Amino acid sequence: MAADAVLGVLGHNVHRSRLLKRRHGRTNDIEKAFETPTGKVVTSVPQKTRHSRQLLVCLAFLVMAFVWMASSTVGRMSGGSTSLLGGSKGNTEVDAIVTLAMRGFRSTLMAHTLREAGHWQRPIFVLTDNPALEQEHLHETNVTLIDVSKRLHPTFLSPSEEAAYRHQYDAVQDDFAIKWQKTQIFQFLPPHIHTILFIDSDIITVRSLQSFMKDIAQNVQSDECELSAYPERWYTNSPFSKYRESGDWNSGMMVLKRTLSHDLLSEWNRTIVTAPFSKRDQPKLTQVIHKLGTHVCPLPNRFRHVLYAADFVDRRSYQWGLRNPTFYHFASQKKVSDLWNPTINLLV
């Protein structure tokens, strides 16, 4: 429906452009501007220029799509060891899906779509600093809420580290507490939960998880994978990105295991709350992986399963019918608690 609306606007613009040409009696290459129904000014450009731009866009899309598919399948070396899995089989299934809903971030859409669109029947745990608010919106979704409001800050820091931490927390508290809580997950979960899929609360599910769970089965079963995650998008580490030095792995979706991931989470726990601080948790994660030599297994088929709302290529590939992802990751549009028709924002 959202795609039809977009195409309708574009068709209206083209029709109006033609009317303007007839009205002025001109069909040459002079640029003409007209307003769309939303008030946006669109400019008609020479035909050769339009064809050249279209060709460049198509070529750019093909190149970037190839990079995306290659990176999602193979992954990048991160300083620790990386493989395409192997080893003997451990736990054969994901025991639960876990997320964080703190400092204004909500899990409403994430949990609701996991149940409705993803057909996920196993436990969902939401670690939150406001369980009353979450319960108000999740009372029909069968979610286990865990109150972390009394353990928002580390207690192991020295006085100087504590002062630096408090200064950083006051500056960026909206997400700094959430970063640290990622390292604490298993301390809050029941002891029988051994293998989890952690996903950020700004990720929604749009189709059944069946194919995704089948694709990550080796990651879950392998006793070599201390961490499974998607490689970070290449452009986040480019000189032009506001997230320069983002690290090698994206922590928005991870397979974690109580025993195998213990050393990684313990070291990440301390590193993330000590200087030098980072705006994102990925650089500290990469630092710990390098330090410990953590064995990281890339999650497979990123291009097939995850669409980033902030990613131009991802959005256009969805518009053009080339993608049917399992998840939408809103990334830079994280507070989506009341956004019940998110495809509109993805397509416009």
Side-chain angles (χ1 to χ4, degrees):
M1 183 177 295
D4 292 339
V6 174
L7 292 175
V9 171
L10 293 177
H12 177 87
N13 293 341
V14 172
H15 177 67
R16 188 170 180 180
S17 176
R18 290 171 179 170
L19 289 178
L20 286 174
K21 288 180 181 180
R22 294 194 189 104
R23 183 180 302 170
H24 292 285
R26 298 176 184 175
T27 56
N28 56 22
D29 290 338
I30 297 176
E31 294 188 353
K32 305 176 184 69
F34 59 92
E35 288 189 353
T36 69
T38 59
K40 182 179 179 181
V41 175
V42 181
T43 302
S44 175
V45 297
Q47 186 175 7
K48 290 184 179 179
T49 304
R50 289 201 304 271
H51 290 168
S52 298
R53 289 180 180 178
Q54 291 170 356
L55 179 60
L56 287 174
V57 169
C58 290
L59 289 174
F61 171 78
L62 290 173
V63 171
M64 296 181 75
F66 174 79
V67 172
W68 255 258
M69 288 186 286
S71 65
S72 66
T73 303
V74 178
R76 291 176 289 157
M77 297 300 292
S78 64
S81 56
T82 308
S83 75
L84 293 179
L85 310 182
S88 60
K89 293 184 178 181
N91 190 32
T92 58
E93 295 180 317
V94 172
D95 295 320
I97 293 178
V98 182
T99 194
L100 295 167
M102 302 172 59
R103 313 306 263 176
F105 295 93
R106 301 259 294 282
S107 63
T108 309
L109 269 176
M110 171 268 188
H112 178 80
T113 57
L114 275 173
R115 295 295 192 206
E116 297 299 320
H119 309 302
W120 178 254
Q121 301 298 320
R122 289 175 175 243
I124 298 175
F125 292 94
V126 176
L127 279 61
T128 177
D129 58 355
N130 194 340
L133 179 63
E134 290 296 305
Q135 182 63 45
E136 178 183 349
H137 295 276
L138 292 172
H139 61 280
E140 297 180 354
T141 314
N142 189 23
V143 169
T144 302
L145 300 176
I146 299 177
D147 187 358
V148 300
S149 59
K150 296 181 180 179
R151 294 179 59 181
L152 291 178
H153 306 287
T155 58
F156 51 78
L157 300 176
S158 67
S160 60
E161 291 174 335
E162 174 76 13
Y165 165 80
R166 287 291 178 176
H167 177 76
Q168 178 71 8
Y169 179 83
D170 291 338
V172 292
Q173 58 180 303
D174 277 353
D175 56 5
F176 195 61
I178 301 176
K179 296 176 187 176
W180 181 66
Q181 290 294 345
K182 285 185 179 182
T183 71
Q184 306 295 298
I185 289 174
F186 283 108
Q187 296 187 31
F188 293 102
L189 297 179
H192 67 275
I193 301 296
H194 294 283
T195 302
I196 66 167
L197 173 66
F198 173 85
I199 64 176
D200 280 345
S201 61
D202 62 339
I203 296 176
I204 66 171
T205 308
V206 292
R207 66 182 175 96
S208 172
L209 298 182
Q210 183 175 0
S211 62
F212 174 75
M213 288 298 174
K214 181 178 180 180
D215 283 350
I216 69 169
Q218 284 186 296
N219 298 73
V220 174
Q221 295 168 5
S222 173
D223 61 1
E224 295 182 0
C225 296
E226 298 171 83
L227 168 69
S228 293
Y230 283 114
E232 185 59 282
R233 292 157 290 166
W234 64 271
Y235 56 81
T236 59
N237 287 303
S238 74
F240 307 102
S241 172
K242 65 179 179 179
Y243 299 123
R244 287 185 294 276
E245 301 179 358
S246 288
D248 294 340
W249 303 95
N250 190 295
S251 62
M253 182 176 291
M254 302 179 289
V255 173
L256 298 169
K257 303 173 183 179
R258 184 179 289 274
T259 302
L260 284 175
S261 305
H262 177 269
D263 292 346
L264 170 71
L265 294 176
S266 296
E267 186 66 25
W268 194 20
N269 163 49
R270 181 169 188 84
T271 304
I272 206 169
V273 293
T274 53
F277 300 104
S278 173
K279 292 182 179 180
R280 306 183 77 201
D281 47 349
Q282 282 90 337
K284 291 286 189 171
L285 176 61
T286 297
Q287 177 183 330
V288 171
I289 289 171
H290 279 269
K291 179 179 178 179
L292 299 180
T294 302
H295 191 102
V296 184
C297 298
L299 289 173
N301 298 327
R302 202 286 290 177
F303 195 78
R304 177 184 180 187
H305 290 299
V306 184
L307 185 149
Y308 289 95
D311 191 307
F312 173 82
V313 173
D314 277 14
R315 292 199 309 272
R316 291 299 176 263
S317 63
Y318 179 82
Q319 276 186 288
W320 297 341
L322 302 177
R323 302 282 301 279
N324 182 27
T326 306
F327 303 101
Y328 289 150
H329 193 168
F330 283 85
S332 61
Q333 306 171 27
K334 288 192 174 184
K335 297 193 177 183
V336 296
S337 57
D338 299 315
L339 188 58
W340 288 98
N341 193 7
T343 53
I344 292 178
N345 276 358
L346 292 173
L347 292 171
V348 175

